[in-house]
Amino acid sequence: MKNALLFFAIALLAVSGAWAQEHTNLKGGFGAQGYDVVSYFRDEPLKGNKKISAQFEGVTYKFASEENKTTFLVNPALYIPQYGGFCAYAIAKNGKKVGVDPKTYTITNGKLYLFYNSWGVNTLDKWNEEGAETLQQKADAAWNIVLEGQ
């Protein structure tokens, strides 16, 4: 019985990890493109160190310090970016997974949102201009559709 439960738990973790990887921006092989997700909440996005890393739901995150890694491990879900780390504006506008500039972000109601910012287009500016609250609600709904695979 114990072996069956252990096998089931391992299989469930593998499926969960594969699912999370499919729905997470893993540019560079790491969540948040290798930026330390805790550092965003300290108003200074920092690149993480691959020697200081931790996994959550099958996704590896890097950290700038052991302290940030420890903080993350207490409650990982608090720090991971919304919408798998894809551009919040693109999710809201068309439900598409678009890459981000990890230095272009906002934290609203304790949640981290990342945005595309390149070639003269800063979607964080558009997010703020068009109404962050309304776009966040649209993005939440669109992300649920993305996750359902529709």
Side-chain angles (χ1 to χ4, degrees):
M1 180 68 168
K2 284 184 181 179
N3 287 340
L5 287 175
L6 180 61
F7 176 77
F8 178 74
I10 291 170
L12 186 61
L13 285 173
V15 168
S16 171
W19 180 89
Q21 288 184 355
E22 178 184 340
H23 296 294
T24 302
N25 181 353
L26 294 174
K27 184 176 179 184
F30 295 91
Q33 294 183 196
Y35 273 71
D36 178 337
V37 292
V38 174
S39 70
Y40 286 98
F41 291 83
R42 297 186 173 146
D43 291 327
E44 186 180 2
L46 301 169
K47 286 186 179 181
N49 180 335
K50 67 181 174 183
K51 293 180 182 177
I52 308 172
S53 63
Q55 281 201 345
F56 177 65
E57 295 184 343
V59 176
T60 303
Y61 294 89
K62 296 192 308 186
F63 302 91
S65 69
E66 286 290 340
E67 177 186 353
N68 284 5
K69 175 183 171 181
T70 300
T71 299
F72 174 81
L73 290 172
V74 170
N75 187 358
L78 182 67
Y79 297 99
I80 59 172
Q82 299 301 294
Y83 320 123
F86 292 101
C87 176
Y89 183 81
I91 295 293
K93 293 303 269 188
N94 58 29
K96 300 292 182 194
K97 295 177 182 176
V98 173
V100 298
D101 171 354
K103 291 184 180 182
T104 307
Y105 74 100
T106 190
I107 296 174
T108 305
N109 297 324
K111 295 181 180 183
L112 173 61
Y113 299 87
L114 300 174
F115 297 88
Y116 176 86
N117 183 5
S118 187
W119 299 94
V121 177
N122 183 336
T123 59
L124 174 56
D125 289 344
K126 291 181 177 214
W127 178 267
N128 291 327
E129 290 166 7
E130 295 178 24
E133 186 174 322
T134 300
L135 287 172
Q136 184 259 320
Q137 291 171 0
K138 288 181 180 181
D140 286 350
W143 187 243
N144 285 333
I145 292 170
V146 168
L147 295 180
E148 292 169 4
Q150 296 178 358

